[in-house]
Amino acid sequence: MAILEVLRFPDERLRTKAQPVTEFNDEIKTLVKDMLDTMYEEKGIGLAATQVNVHQQVVVMDHSEDRNEPMVFINPELTDKTGKFKNEEGCLSVPGIYEKVERWETVTIKYFDEHGEQHEKPADELLSICIQHEMDHLEGILFIDHLSPLKRQRAKAKLEKMARQAAKHG
Ligand code: K1U
Ligand code: ZN
């Protein structure tokens, strides 16, 4: 079991655009396993490789109640998207900030699993929100980038205050 370091805002490495996976080898399988271990350890429902400073298009998720339904999305693409809705989001890379973000309501995800098999899956509710949030990470976009300038400024000020307090108290 390997727990990877999760990059935190304002780390510039979170702004790196991820590259498509071209080889489904043991390295990718190990990355997927380590990302799942890290997501469970951090109590997240999703994680993008960008957040652990690996700039390949790999996403893991599990939003099941018992935390026993891992999902892997490699080179994800949205082939269909309908409707819009607003929901509260959080992010392991932007701790302590929860804000409503507008997303596509339903999407269809085309992706590969870690064995290189291609799949297509319809998604709504939390799966739809989460895949859009994670695919943003792969593009170097954070959910706070979707907020109004005022809300973004407030979030930044809160994060800076939290960083100052953490530095003071160790
Ligand atoms: O990408 C990440 O940092 C993971 C993120 C996924 C996510 C949660 C909620 C909406 C969109 C994307 C998290 O897991 S944040 C922590 C969390 O478990 C959570 C936060 C708010 C609502 C539901 C869950
Ligand atoms: Zn996130």
Side-chain angles (χ1 to χ4, degrees):
M1 170 156 161
I3 306 299
L4 308 172
E5 185 198 353
V6 176
L7 303 179
R8 312 281 179 200
F9 177 88
D11 196 313
E12 274 303 308
R13 291 171 293 179
L14 287 167
R15 301 305 186 174
T16 312
K17 199 170 149 52
Q19 299 304 308
V21 170
T22 52
E23 275 187 60
F24 293 84
N25 52 21
D26 284 352
E27 201 183 310
I28 286 297
K29 291 186 185 77
T30 302
L31 173 65
V32 164
K33 199 184 162 310
D34 292 349
M35 285 176 62
L36 283 165
D37 289 344
T38 306
M39 177 188 74
Y40 290 126
E41 176 74 15
E42 296 266 342
K43 307 201 172 8
I45 55 170
L47 190 70
T50 311
Q51 293 175 277
V52 292
N53 199 29
V54 176
H55 302 291
Q56 300 208 63
Q57 294 177 7
V58 179
V59 164
V60 296
M61 276 188 225
D62 188 344
H63 53 80
S64 66
E65 226 163 81
D66 294 334
R67 315 282 283 150
N68 59 359
E69 291 173 33
M71 286 181 280
V72 178
F73 300 91
I74 297 178
N75 300 347
E77 279 173 60
L78 300 184
T79 54
D80 194 30
K81 22 195 191 197
T82 61
K84 286 283 178 107
F85 68 161
K86 266 191 162 192
N87 287 279
E88 190 154 280
E89 297 190 15
C91 182
L92 299 175
S93 296
V94 191
I97 306 288
Y98 299 91
E99 290 285 353
K100 283 196 170 180
V101 175
E102 188 174 77
R103 300 286 186 188
W104 296 108
E105 193 166 359
T106 64
V107 296
T108 304
I109 317 157
K110 196 167 158 188
Y111 63 99
F112 292 88
D113 63 25
E114 67 271 44
H115 309 290
E117 299 289 325
Q118 198 170 36
H119 305 269
E120 206 155 7
K121 186 192 202 64
D124 62 5
E125 300 182 343
L126 200 47
L127 180 57
S128 173
I129 299 163
C130 200
I131 190 68
Q132 292 174 72
H133 176 113
E134 303 307 337
M135 285 176 72
D136 267 359
H137 275 303
L138 300 179
E139 293 291 322
I141 297 167
L142 297 172
F143 81 105
I144 52 172
D145 300 339
H146 292 288
L147 304 179
S148 68
L150 180 65
K151 282 193 172 169
R152 196 163 54 240
Q153 193 44 47
R154 275 196 202 140
K156 269 185 81 175
K158 187 174 172 187
L159 288 161
E160 280 161 9
K161 189 175 171 189
M162 280 163 40
R164 278 198 304 276
Q165 280 173 344
K168 204 163 135 188
H169 302 292

mmCIF file of all heavy atoms in Angstrom, residues 45-51 58-61 103 129-139 141:
data_model
loop_
_atom_site.group_PDB
_atom_site.id
_atom_site.type_symbol
_atom_site.label_atom_id
_atom_site.label_comp_id
_atom_site.label_asym_id
_atom_site.label_seq_id
_atom_site.Cartn_x
_atom_site.Cartn_y
_atom_site.Cartn_z
ATOM 1 N N ILE A 45 -13.983 11.069 -2.548
ATOM 2 C CA ILE A 45 -14.815 10.202 -3.393
ATOM 3 C C ILE A 45 -14.244 10.130 -4.811
ATOM 4 O O ILE A 45 -14.769 9.422 -5.665
ATOM 5 C CB ILE A 45 -16.288 10.674 -3.414
ATOM 6 C CG1 ILE A 45 -16.403 12.137 -3.848
ATOM 7 C CG2 ILE A 45 -16.929 10.478 -2.045
ATOM 8 C CD1 ILE A 45 -17.843 12.571 -4.118
ATOM 9 N N GLY A 46 -13.162 10.893 -5.043
ATOM 10 C CA GLY A 46 -12.509 10.862 -6.341
ATOM 11 C C GLY A 46 -11.089 11.375 -6.206
ATOM 12 O O GLY A 46 -10.726 11.979 -5.188
ATOM 13 N N LEU A 47 -10.286 11.106 -7.218
ATOM 14 C CA LEU A 47 -8.903 11.619 -7.245
ATOM 15 C C LEU A 47 -8.420 11.576 -8.694
ATOM 16 O O LEU A 47 -8.622 10.578 -9.389
ATOM 17 C CB LEU A 47 -7.992 10.754 -6.358
ATOM 18 C CG LEU A 47 -6.584 11.291 -6.090
ATOM 19 C CD1 LEU A 47 -6.617 12.518 -5.167
ATOM 20 C CD2 LEU A 47 -5.699 10.209 -5.453
ATOM 21 N N ALA A 48 -7.783 12.671 -9.125
ATOM 22 C CA ALA A 48 -7.185 12.708 -10.464
ATOM 23 C C ALA A 48 -5.667 12.621 -10.310
ATOM 24 O O ALA A 48 -5.102 13.127 -9.328
ATOM 25 C CB ALA A 48 -7.569 14.021 -11.148
ATOM 26 N N ALA A 49 -5.000 11.998 -11.293
ATOM 27 C CA ALA A 49 -3.540 11.800 -11.202
ATOM 28 C C ALA A 49 -2.811 13.133 -11.015
ATOM 29 O O ALA A 49 -1.800 13.193 -10.300
ATOM 30 C CB ALA A 49 -3.046 11.073 -12.452
ATOM 31 N N THR A 50 -3.325 14.201 -11.611
ATOM 32 C CA THR A 50 -2.719 15.541 -11.465
ATOM 33 C C THR A 50 -2.518 15.884 -9.990
ATOM 34 O O THR A 50 -1.527 16.519 -9.623
ATOM 35 C CB THR A 50 -3.677 16.595 -12.091
ATOM 36 O OG1 THR A 50 -4.045 16.136 -13.380
ATOM 37 C CG2 THR A 50 -3.051 17.969 -12.150
ATOM 38 N N GLN A 51 -3.481 15.473 -9.140
ATOM 39 C CA GLN A 51 -3.423 15.831 -7.716
ATOM 40 C C GLN A 51 -2.278 15.135 -6.986
ATOM 41 O O GLN A 51 -1.917 15.552 -5.883
ATOM 42 C CB GLN A 51 -4.748 15.483 -7.023
ATOM 43 C CG GLN A 51 -5.911 16.338 -7.507
ATOM 44 C CD GLN A 51 -7.217 15.899 -6.890
ATOM 45 O OE1 GLN A 51 -7.841 14.964 -7.365
ATOM 46 N NE2 GLN A 51 -7.617 16.542 -5.819
ATOM 47 N N VAL A 58 -5.559 9.859 -15.750
ATOM 48 C CA VAL A 58 -6.046 8.757 -14.903
ATOM 49 C C VAL A 58 -6.879 9.347 -13.768
ATOM 50 O O VAL A 58 -6.445 10.296 -13.099
ATOM 51 C CB VAL A 58 -4.878 7.936 -14.306
ATOM 52 C CG1 VAL A 58 -5.409 6.818 -13.418
ATOM 53 C CG2 VAL A 58 -3.990 7.367 -15.406
ATOM 54 N N VAL A 59 -8.086 8.782 -13.574
ATOM 55 C CA VAL A 59 -9.002 9.220 -12.512
ATOM 56 C C VAL A 59 -9.493 7.976 -11.776
ATOM 57 O O VAL A 59 -9.785 6.958 -12.409
ATOM 58 C CB VAL A 59 -10.214 9.969 -13.136
ATOM 59 C CG1 VAL A 59 -11.363 10.109 -12.153
ATOM 60 C CG2 VAL A 59 -9.789 11.344 -13.671
ATOM 61 N N VAL A 60 -9.586 8.068 -10.454
ATOM 62 C CA VAL A 60 -10.244 6.996 -9.682
ATOM 63 C C VAL A 60 -11.382 7.609 -8.887
ATOM 64 O O VAL A 60 -11.360 8.796 -8.562
ATOM 65 C CB VAL A 60 -9.257 6.254 -8.728
ATOM 66 C CG1 VAL A 60 -8.190 5.529 -9.513
ATOM 67 C CG2 VAL A 60 -8.637 7.206 -7.708
ATOM 68 N N MET A 61 -12.379 6.799 -8.582
ATOM 69 C CA MET A 61 -13.545 7.275 -7.826
ATOM 70 C C MET A 61 -14.156 6.120 -7.054
ATOM 71 O O MET A 61 -14.040 4.962 -7.467
ATOM 72 C CB MET A 61 -14.639 7.731 -8.800
ATOM 73 C CG MET A 61 -14.485 9.114 -9.297
ATOM 74 S SD MET A 61 -16.008 9.430 -10.200
ATOM 75 C CE MET A 61 -15.301 10.167 -11.591
ATOM 76 N N ARG A 103 -22.684 22.332 -13.355
ATOM 77 C CA ARG A 103 -22.141 21.238 -14.187
ATOM 78 C C ARG A 103 -23.220 20.721 -15.127
ATOM 79 O O ARG A 103 -24.403 20.958 -14.920
ATOM 80 C CB ARG A 103 -21.713 20.067 -13.294
ATOM 81 C CG ARG A 103 -20.659 20.351 -12.262
ATOM 82 C CD ARG A 103 -19.295 20.501 -12.880
ATOM 83 N NE ARG A 103 -18.248 20.633 -11.861
ATOM 84 C CZ ARG A 103 -16.990 20.937 -12.146
ATOM 85 N NH1 ARG A 103 -16.602 21.125 -13.401
ATOM 86 N NH2 ARG A 103 -16.103 21.063 -11.192
ATOM 87 N N ILE A 129 -21.213 14.685 -11.468
ATOM 88 C CA ILE A 129 -20.506 15.844 -10.883
ATOM 89 C C ILE A 129 -19.019 15.513 -10.728
ATOM 90 O O ILE A 129 -18.135 16.283 -11.098
ATOM 91 C CB ILE A 129 -21.086 16.190 -9.475
ATOM 92 C CG1 ILE A 129 -22.559 16.555 -9.560
ATOM 93 C CG2 ILE A 129 -20.292 17.313 -8.820
ATOM 94 C CD1 ILE A 129 -23.276 16.496 -8.207
ATOM 95 N N CYS A 130 -18.779 14.329 -10.158
ATOM 96 C CA CYS A 130 -17.407 13.954 -9.801
ATOM 97 C C CYS A 130 -16.530 13.773 -11.053
ATOM 98 O O CYS A 130 -15.391 14.248 -11.073
ATOM 99 C CB CYS A 130 -17.446 12.697 -8.949
ATOM 100 S SG CYS A 130 -15.952 12.478 -7.999
ATOM 101 N N ILE A 131 -17.064 13.142 -12.111
ATOM 102 C CA ILE A 131 -16.208 12.941 -13.300
ATOM 103 C C ILE A 131 -15.879 14.294 -13.940
ATOM 104 O O ILE A 131 -14.749 14.517 -14.397
ATOM 105 C CB ILE A 131 -16.825 11.936 -14.321
ATOM 106 C CG1 ILE A 131 -15.797 11.564 -15.406
ATOM 107 C CG2 ILE A 131 -18.088 12.473 -14.976
ATOM 108 C CD1 ILE A 131 -14.631 10.758 -14.958
ATOM 109 N N GLN A 132 -16.839 15.237 -13.908
ATOM 110 C CA GLN A 132 -16.554 16.567 -14.486
ATOM 111 C C GLN A 132 -15.505 17.302 -13.651
ATOM 112 O O GLN A 132 -14.603 17.955 -14.194
ATOM 113 C CB GLN A 132 -17.844 17.379 -14.598
ATOM 114 C CG GLN A 132 -18.800 16.795 -15.644
ATOM 115 C CD GLN A 132 -20.131 17.510 -15.660
ATOM 116 O OE1 GLN A 132 -20.221 18.651 -16.123
ATOM 117 N NE2 GLN A 132 -21.175 16.862 -15.155
ATOM 118 N N HIS A 133 -15.599 17.168 -12.314
ATOM 119 C CA HIS A 133 -14.619 17.777 -11.406
ATOM 120 C C HIS A 133 -13.221 17.173 -11.654
ATOM 121 O O HIS A 133 -12.227 17.889 -11.767
ATOM 122 C CB HIS A 133 -15.097 17.531 -9.967
ATOM 123 C CG HIS A 133 -14.175 18.004 -8.898
ATOM 124 N ND1 HIS A 133 -14.483 19.031 -8.042
ATOM 125 C CD2 HIS A 133 -12.934 17.567 -8.502
ATOM 126 C CE1 HIS A 133 -13.493 19.221 -7.191
ATOM 127 N NE2 HIS A 133 -12.541 18.337 -7.443
ATOM 128 N N GLU A 134 -13.176 15.835 -11.781
ATOM 129 C CA GLU A 134 -11.870 15.161 -11.962
ATOM 130 C C GLU A 134 -11.286 15.429 -13.349
ATOM 131 O O GLU A 134 -10.072 15.578 -13.497
ATOM 132 C CB GLU A 134 -12.001 13.647 -11.712
ATOM 133 C CG GLU A 134 -12.553 13.236 -10.352
ATOM 134 C CD GLU A 134 -11.832 13.851 -9.168
ATOM 135 O OE1 GLU A 134 -10.658 14.251 -9.308
ATOM 136 O OE2 GLU A 134 -12.459 13.947 -8.092
ATOM 137 N N MET A 135 -12.159 15.500 -14.363
ATOM 138 C CA MET A 135 -11.651 15.799 -15.718
ATOM 139 C C MET A 135 -11.121 17.229 -15.785
ATOM 140 O O MET A 135 -10.172 17.503 -16.511
ATOM 141 C CB MET A 135 -12.739 15.545 -16.770
ATOM 142 C CG MET A 135 -12.949 14.048 -17.008
ATOM 143 S SD MET A 135 -14.297 13.711 -18.150
ATOM 144 C CE MET A 135 -13.568 14.251 -19.709
ATOM 145 N N ASP A 136 -11.711 18.134 -15.008
ATOM 146 C CA ASP A 136 -11.151 19.491 -14.897
ATOM 147 C C ASP A 136 -9.721 19.425 -14.353
ATOM 148 O O ASP A 136 -8.822 20.099 -14.870
ATOM 149 C CB ASP A 136 -11.994 20.355 -13.944
ATOM 150 C CG ASP A 136 -13.081 21.161 -14.656
ATOM 151 O OD1 ASP A 136 -13.182 21.070 -15.896
ATOM 152 O OD2 ASP A 136 -13.823 21.880 -13.960
ATOM 153 N N HIS A 137 -9.504 18.603 -13.293
ATOM 154 C CA HIS A 137 -8.139 18.479 -12.740
ATOM 155 C C HIS A 137 -7.154 18.086 -13.844
ATOM 156 O O HIS A 137 -6.033 18.597 -13.892
ATOM 157 C CB HIS A 137 -8.095 17.400 -11.648
ATOM 158 C CG HIS A 137 -8.478 17.877 -10.282
ATOM 159 N ND1 HIS A 137 -7.847 18.908 -9.640
ATOM 160 C CD2 HIS A 137 -9.426 17.426 -9.412
ATOM 161 C CE1 HIS A 137 -8.388 19.086 -8.437
ATOM 162 N NE2 HIS A 137 -9.354 18.205 -8.274
ATOM 163 N N LEU A 138 -7.579 17.158 -14.716
ATOM 164 C CA LEU A 138 -6.663 16.692 -15.778
ATOM 165 C C LEU A 138 -6.306 17.822 -16.753
ATOM 166 O O LEU A 138 -5.301 17.745 -17.454
ATOM 167 C CB LEU A 138 -7.274 15.508 -16.546
ATOM 168 C CG LEU A 138 -7.602 14.247 -15.726
ATOM 169 C CD1 LEU A 138 -8.213 13.172 -16.631
ATOM 170 C CD2 LEU A 138 -6.354 13.693 -15.022
ATOM 171 N N GLU A 139 -7.148 18.865 -16.776
ATOM 172 C CA GLU A 139 -6.886 20.038 -17.635
ATOM 173 C C GLU A 139 -6.191 21.157 -16.853
ATOM 174 O O GLU A 139 -5.993 22.257 -17.379
ATOM 175 C CB GLU A 139 -8.211 20.595 -18.173
ATOM 176 C CG GLU A 139 -8.928 19.678 -19.151
ATOM 177 C CD GLU A 139 -8.181 19.553 -20.474
ATOM 178 O OE1 GLU A 139 -7.614 20.549 -20.945
ATOM 179 O OE2 GLU A 139 -8.144 18.432 -21.012
ATOM 180 N N ILE A 141 -7.571 22.583 -14.160
ATOM 181 C CA ILE A 141 -8.631 23.499 -13.689
ATOM 182 C C ILE A 141 -9.108 23.037 -12.312
ATOM 183 O O ILE A 141 -9.307 21.838 -12.085
ATOM 184 C CB ILE A 141 -9.809 23.492 -14.697
ATOM 185 C CG1 ILE A 141 -9.336 24.023 -16.056
ATOM 186 C CG2 ILE A 141 -10.997 24.310 -14.177
ATOM 187 C CD1 ILE A 141 -10.325 23.768 -17.198
#
